[in-house]
Amino acid sequence: MIKISSLPADDTTCGWYHLSKGRQIKLPHTGHTHARWVVVGAGFTGLAAARQLALHFPDDQVVLLEAQEVGYGSSGRNAGFAIDLPHDIGAEDYIGDIGIARTTLKLNISGQSLLKDLVERYQIDCQMKHCGKYQAAVEPRGIAVLEAYRRGLDKLEQPYQMIEADELPEHIGTHFYRKALFTPGTSLVQPSALVKGLADHLPANVTLYEHTPITDVAYGAQTVLKHANGSITADKLVLTTNAFGMSFGFLKGRMLPVFTYASLTRVMTDEEQARLGGKPYWGVIPADPFGTTVRRTPDNRLLIRNSFSFNPDGRANRKFIDRFAARHRDAFTRRFPMLPNVPFEYTWGGALAMSRNHMGFFGELAPNVYGALCCNGLGVTRGTATGKLLADWLAGEHNELIDFVRKTPGPNANPPAPLMSLGLNMNLRWGQYRAGKES
Ligand SMILES: Cc1cc2nc3c(=O)[nH]c(=O)nc-3n(C[C@H](O)[C@H](O)[C@H](O)COP(=O)(O)OP(=O)(O)OC[C@H]3O[C@@H](n4cnc5c(N)ncnc54)[C@H](O)[C@@H]3O)c2cc1C
Protein backbone atom coordinates (compact mmCIF):
# COMPACT_ATOMS: atom_id res chain seq x y z
CA MET A 1 0.00 0.00 0.00
CA ILE A 2 1.20 3.51 -0.77
CA LYS A 3 0.42 6.16 1.84
CA ILE A 4 -1.35 9.22 0.37
CA SER A 5 1.21 11.89 1.14
CA SER A 6 -1.14 14.83 1.70
CA LEU A 7 -4.89 15.22 2.25
CA PRO A 8 -6.98 18.27 1.36
CA ALA A 9 -7.69 20.74 4.17
CA ASP A 10 -9.37 23.90 2.95
CA ASP A 11 -10.14 26.82 5.26
CA THR A 12 -13.56 27.20 6.86
CA THR A 13 -14.27 30.73 5.61
CA CYS A 14 -15.37 30.41 1.98
CA GLY A 15 -18.26 32.85 1.41
CA TRP A 16 -19.76 30.92 -1.50
CA TYR A 17 -19.97 27.77 0.60
CA HIS A 18 -21.69 29.47 3.53
CA LEU A 19 -24.06 31.54 1.39
CA SER A 20 -25.27 28.66 -0.78
CA LYS A 21 -28.15 26.52 0.41
CA GLY A 22 -27.29 23.75 2.86
CA ARG A 23 -27.90 20.23 1.63
CA GLN A 24 -28.12 16.71 2.95
CA ILE A 25 -24.46 15.70 2.92
CA LYS A 26 -23.95 12.14 1.77
CA LEU A 27 -22.66 9.74 4.43
CA PRO A 28 -18.99 8.72 4.44
CA HIS A 29 -18.17 5.29 3.08
CA THR A 30 -17.80 2.49 5.63
CA GLY A 31 -16.97 -1.20 5.25
CA HIS A 32 -15.64 -2.87 2.11
CA THR A 33 -17.09 -2.30 -1.35
CA HIS A 34 -16.21 -3.39 -4.85
CA ALA A 35 -17.18 -1.23 -7.84
CA ARG A 36 -16.34 -1.32 -11.51
CA TRP A 37 -15.79 2.45 -11.59
CA VAL A 38 -14.45 4.63 -8.79
CA VAL A 39 -13.92 8.36 -9.23
CA VAL A 40 -11.89 10.19 -6.54
CA GLY A 41 -12.47 13.95 -6.17
CA ALA A 42 -15.94 15.51 -6.49
CA GLY A 43 -15.12 18.90 -8.01
CA PHE A 44 -16.23 20.01 -11.49
CA THR A 45 -14.02 17.37 -13.13
CA GLY A 46 -15.06 14.42 -10.95
CA LEU A 47 -18.76 15.31 -11.01
CA ALA A 48 -18.69 15.43 -14.82
CA ALA A 49 -16.71 12.18 -15.09
CA ALA A 50 -18.98 10.28 -12.68
CA ARG A 51 -22.15 11.56 -14.38
CA GLN A 52 -20.96 10.58 -17.84
CA LEU A 53 -19.63 7.16 -16.77
CA ALA A 54 -23.03 6.45 -15.22
CA LEU A 55 -24.78 7.42 -18.47
CA HIS A 56 -22.47 5.25 -20.58
CA PHE A 57 -22.71 2.27 -18.24
CA PRO A 58 -26.25 2.28 -16.82
CA ASP A 59 -25.84 -1.25 -15.42
CA ASP A 60 -22.65 -0.43 -13.49
CA GLN A 61 -22.32 1.22 -10.11
CA VAL A 62 -20.11 4.33 -10.16
CA VAL A 63 -18.65 5.31 -6.79
CA LEU A 64 -17.68 8.96 -6.34
CA LEU A 65 -15.48 9.76 -3.32
CA GLU A 66 -14.80 13.15 -1.80
CA ALA A 67 -12.45 13.90 1.11
CA GLN A 68 -14.35 17.00 2.19
CA GLU A 69 -17.88 18.07 1.24
CA VAL A 70 -18.98 18.87 -2.28
CA GLY A 71 -18.83 22.66 -2.67
CA TYR A 72 -16.16 23.04 0.00
CA GLY A 73 -13.05 22.41 -2.15
CA SER A 74 -11.64 24.57 -4.96
CA SER A 75 -14.63 23.95 -7.22
CA GLY A 76 -16.78 25.76 -4.65
CA ARG A 77 -14.30 28.53 -3.85
CA ASN A 78 -13.36 30.00 -7.23
CA ALA A 79 -14.40 33.31 -8.78
CA GLY A 80 -17.17 31.64 -10.78
CA PHE A 81 -16.14 32.56 -14.34
CA ALA A 82 -17.20 29.81 -16.77
CA ILE A 83 -15.01 31.06 -19.61
CA ASP A 84 -15.44 30.13 -23.26
CA LEU A 85 -12.44 31.79 -24.92
CA PRO A 86 -8.90 30.46 -25.05
CA HIS A 87 -6.26 32.74 -23.55
CA ASP A 88 -2.77 31.45 -24.27
CA ILE A 89 -0.53 33.66 -22.14
CA GLY A 90 2.51 32.23 -23.92
CA ALA A 91 1.41 33.68 -27.30
CA GLU A 92 1.98 37.24 -28.46
CA ASP A 93 -1.71 37.78 -29.30
CA TYR A 94 -2.95 35.43 -26.53
CA ILE A 95 -4.48 33.18 -29.20
CA GLY A 96 -1.38 31.58 -30.72
CA ASP A 97 -1.88 28.66 -33.06
CA ILE A 98 -5.29 29.19 -34.63
CA GLY A 99 -6.08 25.47 -34.94
CA ILE A 100 -5.35 24.86 -31.25
CA ALA A 101 -7.30 28.00 -30.29
CA ARG A 102 -10.38 26.93 -32.29
CA THR A 103 -10.41 23.51 -30.68
CA THR A 104 -9.82 24.98 -27.21
CA LEU A 105 -12.82 27.24 -27.80
CA LYS A 106 -14.94 24.20 -28.74
CA LEU A 107 -13.69 22.34 -25.67
CA ASN A 108 -14.51 25.21 -23.31
CA ILE A 109 -17.92 25.75 -24.91
CA SER A 110 -18.69 22.05 -24.54
CA GLY A 111 -18.03 22.30 -20.77
CA GLN A 112 -19.97 25.53 -20.48
CA SER A 113 -22.96 24.13 -22.42
CA LEU A 114 -23.04 21.04 -20.24
CA LEU A 115 -23.20 23.21 -17.12
CA LYS A 116 -25.91 25.43 -18.65
CA ASP A 117 -28.00 22.40 -19.62
CA LEU A 118 -27.75 20.82 -16.18
CA VAL A 119 -28.56 24.09 -14.42
CA GLU A 120 -31.66 24.47 -16.60
CA ARG A 121 -32.74 20.84 -16.45
CA TYR A 122 -32.49 20.60 -12.65
CA GLN A 123 -33.29 24.25 -11.94
CA ILE A 124 -30.08 24.60 -9.92
CA ASP A 125 -30.24 27.88 -8.04
CA CYS A 126 -26.66 29.11 -8.57
CA GLN A 127 -27.05 32.69 -9.86
CA MET A 128 -25.91 31.61 -13.34
CA LYS A 129 -25.81 34.65 -15.63
CA HIS A 130 -24.74 34.62 -19.26
CA CYS A 131 -23.41 38.16 -19.07
CA GLY A 132 -19.94 37.96 -20.61
CA LYS A 133 -16.82 39.32 -18.96
CA TYR A 134 -14.71 42.47 -19.01
CA GLN A 135 -10.96 42.18 -19.19
CA ALA A 136 -9.78 45.50 -17.82
CA ALA A 137 -6.52 47.42 -17.66
CA VAL A 138 -5.07 50.41 -15.86
CA GLU A 139 -1.37 50.25 -16.66
CA PRO A 140 0.09 50.78 -20.17
CA ARG A 141 1.31 47.16 -20.06
CA GLY A 142 -2.26 45.97 -19.44
CA ILE A 143 -3.61 48.14 -22.25
CA ALA A 144 -1.05 46.61 -24.60
CA VAL A 145 -2.35 43.17 -23.55
CA LEU A 146 -5.93 44.17 -24.46
CA GLU A 147 -4.80 45.48 -27.86
CA ALA A 148 -2.91 42.26 -28.56
CA TYR A 149 -5.84 40.11 -27.43
CA ARG A 150 -8.19 42.11 -29.67
CA ARG A 151 -5.96 41.15 -32.64
CA GLY A 152 -6.11 37.54 -31.49
CA LEU A 153 -9.92 37.64 -31.25
CA ASP A 154 -10.10 39.06 -34.79
CA LYS A 155 -8.01 36.11 -35.95
CA LEU A 156 -10.35 33.74 -34.10
CA GLU A 157 -13.40 35.61 -35.50
CA GLN A 158 -14.90 36.09 -32.04
CA PRO A 159 -17.03 39.11 -31.08
CA TYR A 160 -15.84 41.74 -28.59
CA GLN A 161 -16.30 45.37 -27.70
CA MET A 162 -13.47 47.69 -26.64
CA ILE A 163 -14.76 50.04 -23.97
CA GLU A 164 -12.93 53.26 -23.16
CA ALA A 165 -12.45 54.79 -19.69
CA ASP A 166 -15.30 57.33 -19.90
CA GLU A 167 -17.91 54.66 -20.80
CA LEU A 168 -16.79 52.05 -18.27
CA PRO A 169 -18.66 53.43 -15.23
CA GLU A 170 -21.98 52.82 -17.07
CA HIS A 171 -21.00 49.16 -17.09
CA ILE A 172 -19.20 48.51 -13.82
CA GLY A 173 -19.65 51.67 -11.74
CA THR A 174 -15.99 52.30 -10.98
CA HIS A 175 -13.79 54.90 -12.77
CA PHE A 176 -10.70 52.88 -11.88
CA TYR A 177 -9.91 51.31 -15.26
CA ARG A 178 -8.59 52.97 -18.42
CA LYS A 179 -9.87 50.41 -20.90
CA ALA A 180 -11.71 47.10 -21.04
CA LEU A 181 -12.27 44.41 -23.62
CA PHE A 182 -15.77 42.98 -23.26
CA THR A 183 -16.41 39.48 -24.61
CA PRO A 184 -19.98 38.17 -24.45
CA GLY A 185 -19.48 34.39 -24.11
CA THR A 186 -18.59 33.94 -20.42
CA SER A 187 -21.18 32.83 -17.86
CA LEU A 188 -20.88 33.75 -14.19
CA VAL A 189 -21.98 31.45 -11.38
CA GLN A 190 -22.09 31.03 -7.60
CA PRO A 191 -19.67 28.09 -7.77
CA SER A 192 -20.46 26.35 -4.49
CA ALA A 193 -24.20 26.44 -5.19
CA LEU A 194 -23.52 25.04 -8.66
CA VAL A 195 -21.42 22.05 -7.60
CA LYS A 196 -23.72 21.27 -4.68
CA GLY A 197 -26.63 21.26 -7.16
CA LEU A 198 -24.71 19.04 -9.58
CA ALA A 199 -23.95 16.58 -6.77
CA ASP A 200 -27.62 16.41 -5.79
CA HIS A 201 -28.69 15.52 -9.34
CA LEU A 202 -26.33 12.71 -10.26
CA PRO A 203 -27.72 9.68 -12.10
CA ALA A 204 -29.16 6.99 -9.83
CA ASN A 205 -26.25 4.62 -10.44
CA VAL A 206 -23.70 7.07 -8.96
CA THR A 207 -23.11 6.66 -5.22
CA LEU A 208 -21.43 9.68 -3.69
CA TYR A 209 -19.59 9.38 -0.39
CA GLU A 210 -18.48 12.63 1.24
CA HIS A 211 -15.97 13.10 4.09
CA THR A 212 -14.16 10.03 2.79
CA PRO A 213 -10.47 10.96 2.41
CA ILE A 214 -8.49 8.17 0.79
CA THR A 215 -5.42 7.60 2.92
CA ASP A 216 -3.72 4.58 1.26
CA VAL A 217 -3.79 3.01 -2.16
CA ALA A 218 -2.54 -0.22 -3.77
CA TYR A 219 -2.37 -0.34 -7.57
CA GLY A 220 -2.57 -3.54 -9.62
CA ALA A 221 -5.13 -5.38 -11.77
CA GLN A 222 -7.60 -3.68 -9.43
CA THR A 223 -6.97 -0.64 -7.24
CA VAL A 224 -7.61 -0.84 -3.50
CA LEU A 225 -8.41 2.49 -1.89
CA LYS A 226 -8.25 2.61 1.91
CA HIS A 227 -9.80 5.12 4.26
CA ALA A 228 -10.29 5.37 8.04
CA ASN A 229 -13.44 3.21 8.04
CA GLY A 230 -12.88 0.64 5.33
CA SER A 231 -11.83 0.21 1.70
CA ILE A 232 -13.11 0.25 -1.86
CA THR A 233 -11.79 -1.95 -4.63
CA ALA A 234 -12.04 -0.48 -8.10
CA ASP A 235 -11.76 -2.27 -11.42
CA LYS A 236 -11.08 1.13 -12.96
CA LEU A 237 -10.00 4.18 -11.01
CA VAL A 238 -10.52 7.73 -12.27
CA LEU A 239 -8.52 10.41 -10.45
CA THR A 240 -9.97 13.91 -10.54
CA THR A 241 -8.11 15.24 -7.51
CA ASN A 242 -6.29 18.05 -9.34
CA ALA A 243 -2.86 18.68 -7.67
CA PHE A 244 -3.56 15.88 -5.15
CA GLY A 245 -2.88 13.52 -8.04
CA MET A 246 0.75 13.87 -6.88
CA SER A 247 -0.22 12.48 -3.45
CA PHE A 248 -1.51 9.39 -5.27
CA GLY A 249 1.94 9.02 -6.84
CA PHE A 250 1.29 10.58 -10.27
CA LEU A 251 2.77 13.60 -12.07
CA LYS A 252 5.13 14.17 -9.14
CA GLY A 253 7.26 17.26 -9.65
CA ARG A 254 5.04 18.35 -12.55
CA MET A 255 2.13 20.12 -10.87
CA LEU A 256 2.38 23.14 -8.60
CA PRO A 257 -0.23 23.61 -5.86
CA VAL A 258 -0.62 27.39 -5.95
CA PHE A 259 -3.30 29.06 -3.83
CA THR A 260 -5.21 32.20 -4.70
CA TYR A 261 -7.50 34.23 -2.43
CA ALA A 262 -10.88 35.94 -2.49
CA SER A 263 -13.04 38.19 -0.31
CA LEU A 264 -16.76 38.85 -0.53
CA THR A 265 -18.54 41.88 0.95
CA ARG A 266 -21.85 41.97 2.72
CA VAL A 267 -24.91 42.84 0.57
CA MET A 268 -24.79 46.50 -0.46
CA THR A 269 -27.69 48.68 0.65
CA ASP A 270 -29.93 50.31 -1.98
CA GLU A 271 -28.16 53.59 -1.34
CA GLU A 272 -24.71 52.00 -1.80
CA GLN A 273 -25.86 50.34 -5.02
CA ALA A 274 -27.03 53.71 -6.31
CA ARG A 275 -23.67 55.27 -5.40
CA LEU A 276 -21.83 52.50 -7.24
CA GLY A 277 -23.98 52.65 -10.38
CA GLY A 278 -23.37 50.44 -13.43
CA LYS A 279 -25.07 47.16 -14.34
CA PRO A 280 -26.68 44.93 -11.71
CA TYR A 281 -24.07 42.15 -12.12
CA TRP A 282 -20.80 41.79 -13.98
CA GLY A 283 -17.34 40.22 -13.83
CA VAL A 284 -13.94 41.78 -14.51
CA ILE A 285 -10.73 39.84 -14.98
CA PRO A 286 -7.41 41.67 -14.98
CA ALA A 287 -5.36 42.23 -18.14
CA ASP A 288 -2.32 41.32 -16.04
CA PRO A 289 -2.61 37.69 -14.85
CA PHE A 290 -1.25 38.79 -11.44
CA GLY A 291 -3.91 41.51 -11.14
CA THR A 292 -7.29 41.54 -9.39
CA THR A 293 -10.53 39.84 -10.44
CA VAL A 294 -13.69 41.72 -9.40
CA ARG A 295 -17.36 40.74 -9.51
CA ARG A 296 -20.66 42.28 -8.64
CA THR A 297 -22.91 39.35 -7.79
CA PRO A 298 -26.64 39.18 -8.59
CA ASP A 299 -27.29 39.44 -4.82
CA ASN A 300 -25.35 42.74 -4.74
CA ARG A 301 -22.11 41.80 -3.11
CA LEU A 302 -18.65 42.66 -4.46
CA LEU A 303 -15.96 40.00 -4.82
CA ILE A 304 -12.22 40.69 -4.92
CA ARG A 305 -9.74 37.98 -5.92
CA ASN A 306 -5.99 38.44 -6.02
CA SER A 307 -2.69 37.22 -4.50
CA PHE A 308 -1.01 33.86 -4.75
CA SER A 309 1.00 31.59 -2.46
CA PHE A 310 2.83 28.34 -3.11
CA ASN A 311 1.55 25.72 -0.62
CA PRO A 312 3.49 22.57 -1.62
CA ASP A 313 1.25 20.23 0.44
CA GLY A 314 -1.92 21.63 -1.20
CA ARG A 315 -3.39 22.57 2.19
CA ALA A 316 -4.67 25.94 3.38
CA ASN A 317 -2.48 28.09 5.60
CA ARG A 318 -4.23 30.70 7.76
CA LYS A 319 -1.32 33.15 7.73
CA PHE A 320 -1.84 33.83 4.02
CA ILE A 321 -5.56 34.52 4.45
CA ASP A 322 -4.86 37.14 7.14
CA ARG A 323 -2.12 38.71 5.03
CA PHE A 324 -4.13 38.83 1.81
CA ALA A 325 -7.34 40.14 3.40
CA ALA A 326 -5.45 43.44 3.83
CA ARG A 327 -4.45 43.36 0.17
CA HIS A 328 -8.08 42.76 -0.84
CA ARG A 329 -9.19 45.76 1.22
CA ASP A 330 -6.58 47.92 -0.53
CA ALA A 331 -7.71 46.71 -4.00
CA PHE A 332 -11.33 47.37 -3.01
CA THR A 333 -10.67 50.90 -1.72
CA ARG A 334 -8.83 51.91 -4.88
CA ARG A 335 -11.67 50.64 -7.09
CA PHE A 336 -14.64 51.65 -4.97
CA PRO A 337 -13.80 54.89 -3.13
CA MET A 338 -17.54 55.66 -3.22
CA LEU A 339 -18.15 52.66 -0.89
CA PRO A 340 -15.95 53.39 2.14
CA ASN A 341 -18.09 51.44 4.61
CA VAL A 342 -18.75 48.13 2.87
CA PRO A 343 -16.86 45.47 4.83
CA PHE A 344 -15.87 42.00 3.69
CA GLU A 345 -17.93 39.29 5.26
CA TYR A 346 -15.71 36.42 4.10
CA THR A 347 -12.07 35.91 3.04
CA TRP A 348 -10.75 32.54 1.91
CA GLY A 349 -8.20 30.78 -0.25
CA GLY A 350 -8.26 27.82 -2.61
CA ALA A 351 -5.88 25.62 -4.53
CA LEU A 352 -5.05 25.72 -8.22
CA ALA A 353 -2.93 23.06 -9.87
CA MET A 354 -0.54 24.87 -12.19
CA SER A 355 2.08 23.51 -14.57
CA ARG A 356 5.01 25.45 -15.98
CA ASN A 357 3.86 24.84 -19.56
CA HIS A 358 0.16 25.49 -18.72
CA MET A 359 -0.77 21.98 -19.85
CA GLY A 360 -3.17 19.63 -18.07
CA PHE A 361 -3.10 15.84 -17.95
CA PHE A 362 -5.73 13.65 -19.64
CA GLY A 363 -5.59 9.89 -20.11
CA GLU A 364 -4.06 6.77 -18.56
CA LEU A 365 -1.84 7.20 -15.50
CA ALA A 366 -1.16 3.46 -14.92
CA PRO A 367 -2.95 0.24 -15.96
CA ASN A 368 -6.64 0.70 -15.01
CA VAL A 369 -5.96 4.17 -13.55
CA TYR A 370 -7.01 7.25 -15.48
CA GLY A 371 -7.03 10.95 -14.76
CA ALA A 372 -8.02 14.45 -15.80
CA LEU A 373 -5.73 16.60 -13.68
CA CYS A 374 -3.99 19.98 -13.49
CA CYS A 375 -6.62 22.64 -14.09
CA ASN A 376 -4.23 25.57 -14.60
CA GLY A 377 -6.82 27.86 -13.05
CA LEU A 378 -9.61 27.19 -15.55
CA GLY A 379 -11.42 24.21 -14.11
CA VAL A 380 -15.02 25.43 -14.27
CA THR A 381 -15.47 24.84 -17.99
CA ARG A 382 -12.33 22.87 -18.80
CA GLY A 383 -12.64 20.51 -15.83
CA THR A 384 -16.27 19.86 -16.75
CA ALA A 385 -15.34 19.22 -20.38
CA THR A 386 -12.35 16.98 -19.66
CA GLY A 387 -14.18 15.01 -16.95
CA LYS A 388 -16.95 14.21 -19.43
CA LEU A 389 -14.51 13.45 -22.25
CA LEU A 390 -12.52 11.09 -20.05
CA ALA A 391 -15.69 9.05 -19.48
CA ASP A 392 -16.52 9.19 -23.21
CA TRP A 393 -13.03 7.94 -24.05
CA LEU A 394 -13.28 5.13 -21.47
CA ALA A 395 -16.56 4.14 -23.12
CA GLY A 396 -14.67 3.77 -26.42
CA GLU A 397 -15.73 7.01 -28.12
CA HIS A 398 -13.44 8.92 -30.46
CA ASN A 399 -13.94 12.49 -31.59
CA GLU A 400 -12.04 15.67 -32.31
CA LEU A 401 -12.06 16.88 -28.69
CA ILE A 402 -10.89 13.55 -27.27
CA ASP A 403 -8.06 13.42 -29.83
CA PHE A 404 -7.15 16.99 -28.93
CA VAL A 405 -6.88 16.44 -25.16
CA ARG A 406 -5.22 13.04 -25.64
CA LYS A 407 -2.50 14.68 -27.73
CA THR A 408 -1.63 17.46 -25.27
CA PRO A 409 1.87 16.84 -23.97
CA GLY A 410 0.80 17.16 -20.29
CA PRO A 411 2.51 19.09 -17.51
CA ASN A 412 6.29 19.34 -17.92
CA ALA A 413 8.85 18.64 -15.20
CA ASN A 414 9.74 21.24 -12.58
CA PRO A 415 13.29 21.93 -11.38
CA PRO A 416 14.30 20.11 -8.16
CA ALA A 417 12.31 21.04 -5.02
CA PRO A 418 14.43 23.70 -3.22
CA LEU A 419 15.15 25.54 -6.47
CA MET A 420 11.53 25.22 -7.56
CA SER A 421 10.17 26.61 -4.32
CA LEU A 422 12.63 29.52 -4.30
CA GLY A 423 12.04 30.34 -7.98
CA LEU A 424 8.25 30.08 -7.76
CA ASN A 425 7.98 32.22 -4.61
CA MET A 426 10.18 34.88 -6.24
CA ASN A 427 8.11 34.70 -9.41
CA LEU A 428 4.83 35.10 -7.52
CA ARG A 429 6.18 38.10 -5.57
CA TRP A 430 7.64 39.70 -8.68
CA GLY A 431 4.44 39.13 -10.71
CA GLN A 432 2.29 40.66 -7.98
CA TYR A 433 4.65 43.66 -7.69
CA ARG A 434 4.77 44.11 -11.48
CA ALA A 435 0.95 44.10 -11.72
CA GLY A 436 1.23 47.62 -10.22
CA LYS A 437 -2.12 49.41 -10.02
CA GLU A 438 -3.90 46.36 -11.46
CA SER A 439 -3.09 44.41 -8.29
C1 LIG B 1 -10.03 31.82 -5.54
C2 LIG B 1 -10.07 31.03 -6.82
C3 LIG B 1 -10.60 31.60 -7.97
C4 LIG B 1 -10.72 30.84 -9.15
N1 LIG B 1 -11.42 31.36 -10.19
C5 LIG B 1 -11.73 30.57 -11.25
C6 LIG B 1 -12.63 31.01 -12.25
O1 LIG B 1 -13.20 32.11 -12.15
N2 LIG B 1 -12.88 30.19 -13.31
C7 LIG B 1 -12.29 28.96 -13.41
O2 LIG B 1 -12.54 28.26 -14.40
N3 LIG B 1 -11.47 28.48 -12.45
C8 LIG B 1 -11.19 29.25 -11.37
N4 LIG B 1 -10.41 28.75 -10.36
C9 LIG B 1 -9.87 27.40 -10.50
C10 LIG B 1 -10.94 26.32 -10.25
O3 LIG B 1 -11.48 26.43 -8.96
C11 LIG B 1 -10.29 24.96 -10.43
O4 LIG B 1 -9.73 24.92 -11.72
C12 LIG B 1 -11.31 23.83 -10.29
O5 LIG B 1 -11.84 23.81 -8.99
C13 LIG B 1 -10.68 22.49 -10.63
O6 LIG B 1 -11.69 21.52 -10.51
P1 LIG B 1 -11.33 20.00 -10.27
O7 LIG B 1 -12.61 19.29 -10.12
O8 LIG B 1 -10.38 19.54 -11.31
O9 LIG B 1 -10.50 19.99 -8.90
P2 LIG B 1 -11.00 20.37 -7.42
O10 LIG B 1 -12.09 21.34 -7.43
O11 LIG B 1 -9.75 20.72 -6.66
O12 LIG B 1 -11.57 18.98 -6.89
C14 LIG B 1 -10.72 17.95 -6.49
C15 LIG B 1 -11.35 17.29 -5.26
O13 LIG B 1 -10.55 16.15 -4.90
C16 LIG B 1 -10.69 15.97 -3.52
N5 LIG B 1 -9.58 15.11 -3.04
C17 LIG B 1 -8.26 15.37 -3.10
N6 LIG B 1 -7.56 14.37 -2.49
C18 LIG B 1 -8.47 13.45 -2.08
C19 LIG B 1 -8.36 12.21 -1.38
N7 LIG B 1 -7.19 11.73 -0.94
N8 LIG B 1 -9.51 11.51 -1.14
C20 LIG B 1 -10.71 11.97 -1.57
N9 LIG B 1 -10.86 13.16 -2.19
C21 LIG B 1 -9.75 13.90 -2.45
C22 LIG B 1 -10.62 17.40 -2.97
O14 LIG B 1 -11.19 17.52 -1.68
C23 LIG B 1 -11.38 18.19 -4.04
O15 LIG B 1 -12.71 18.47 -3.68
C24 LIG B 1 -10.21 29.51 -9.18
C25 LIG B 1 -9.68 28.94 -8.03
C26 LIG B 1 -9.60 29.67 -6.85
C27 LIG B 1 -9.03 29.03 -5.64
Side-chain angles (χ1 to χ4, degrees), residues 268-276 339:
M268 288 181 283
T269 62
D270 291 348
E271 192 268 328
E272 285 162 346
Q273 292 174 41
R275 246 188 288 149
L276 171 62
L339 300 172

Side-chain angles (χ1 to χ4, degrees), residues 4 6-8 10 40-47 65-69 72-83 212-215 240-244 247-248 258-262 293 305 348-353 372-383:
I4 302 298
S6 185
L7 294 174
D10 284 303
V40 182
F44 281 105
T45 313
L47 287 162
L65 300 171
E66 171 52 47
Q68 309 183 98
E69 251 176 60
Y72 192 84
S74 290
S75 286
R77 16 186 96 226
N78 56 67
F81 287 68
I83 297 179
T212 306
I214 298 304
T215 55
T240 50
T241 45
N242 218 7
F244 286 98
S247 303
F248 283 80
V258 171
F259 272 55
T260 185
Y261 297 83
T293 298
R305 188 226 41 91
W348 67 91
L352 309 171
L373 300 164
C374 200
C375 70
N376 280 295
L378 286 171
V380 176
T381 50
R382 204 178 167 105

